[in-house]
Amino acid sequence: MVHKKIVTYFEEHYSKSPTLIKAPGRINLIGEHTDYNEGLVLPASIEKGIYFAVSGNDLNSIRIETFLTQPEKIEFQLNSQHNPFNSFWGNYFKAIIEILVSKDYPLKGMDCVFGGDIPIGSGLSSSAALCCGFIYAITKVSGKSISREKIALIAQEAEHKIGLNCGLMDQYAVLFGKKGNAFLLDCKDLSHNYIPINLNGYSWVLVNSNIKHNLAVDSEYNKRRISCENIVKAVQKSRPEIKSLRDVTLVDLNSLVNVSSSIDIKRAKYVIEENDRVRQMIKVLTLGDALAVGEVLRKGHWAMSTEYEITTTELDTLVKIGEGLEGVLGSRMMGGGFGGCTINLVQTNTLDESINSLLQQYKDQTGIDAEYYPLSIDDGVKVFE
């Protein structure tokens, strides 16, 4: 178990009995690219996560070490100077520390060893787990708590600092997740509640296409955000009360056919209809209607493929193969796009057979070995006993 390795390593190299914190990855059942448009999302935190072993030190510095990807150790002086580092994760921690310093948060010396079992770049939001878990760890060592709502905002600000203009869905899902439940978040006012997942006889499975994405480098994410903002500005000329796509209707969109770009209109239509798919998913999950849940997943995928244009040929191939397999009720790409995973609802009694067939057909058609991960819905960030 990865958390035991982390604790053992910490005790061998730092001190005994560290506090161990788990920050989960998250899946998103439906509601993709709606969060930064003040829309609705339906994520859930999962069993896979990042673990942080932490304790205070008297060195006036924060020492952080990992074997998450390549082993590396970095050190931040509490005057916010730091030695150069190579790993991508160092940029997140640097941003978080700078934000906390700017807010006069009373940082204390800390030793931290972290690692986990979230596949990087697979759409499970490893970066939100990394940021939220690290901030929560700092509060445990410093002894001054920060509300989970504020942790989410600091984690979001850190992502913005390193170039990804993300919404708040990932951070909220990582912080507020609850075992056995999906988490309905209204990104307009950040109100939220829990939707029980009662699909007995069915399993959620993630299939990693092994096409990696890097959203901060790839500007396509930000291009789509700009498309959405362009439509809001166009609608505001006749309806100045409109603040986001959440309040734009399909009737509003139709009125822009001659004044806005067809690409902007197509992308805005996707977001408006994706909010409706979230509402539909809540209904069918509540009814326990697995067939209808699968249908919502499929519709969501092909809208991302043809309207928002954020899937890849490989992800489309995975979904098409699943449509031909009896035990797979529905699939869709999950995450920011341009790589990563599909989330699949699969009949439990044919799970192995269905997934093995899916992986073999994918290999035959693309030459790529995909991987799969059974998913369990778990709690949000917590001290791990």
Side-chain angles (χ1 to χ4, degrees), residues 95-162:
I96 287 165
I97 290 166
E98 287 171 351
I99 292 163
L100 290 172
V101 167
S102 75
K103 296 180 185 298
D104 297 321
Y105 183 85
L107 289 169
K108 292 185 177 176
M110 178 174 87
D111 295 321
C112 172
V113 173
F114 75 95
D117 55 5
I118 306 178
I120 303 298
S122 61
L124 289 174
S125 206
S126 53
S127 62
L130 194 72
C131 292
C132 294
F134 184 64
I135 298 164
Y136 188 76
I138 285 173
T139 69
K140 289 299 170 191
V141 170
S142 299
K144 185 180 177 187
S145 65
I146 302 174
S147 72
R148 290 186 182 237
E149 289 84 357
K150 285 184 180 166
I151 290 175
L153 291 169
I154 294 166
Q156 181 193 39
E157 190 179 339
E159 297 237 30
H160 288 185
K161 271 179 87 92
I162 65 166

Side-chain angles (χ1 to χ4, degrees), residues 348-378:
T348 305
N349 62 6
T350 63
L351 182 63
D352 291 342
E353 181 186 336
S354 297
I355 294 301
N356 288 336
S357 181
L358 180 68
L359 298 185
Q360 186 58 55
Q361 289 186 51
Y362 180 70
K363 169 81 169 179
D364 293 344
Q365 292 182 37
T366 66
I368 299 167
D369 287 306
E371 300 163 323
Y372 79 98
Y373 314 101
L375 295 171
S376 297
I377 310 303
D378 206 354

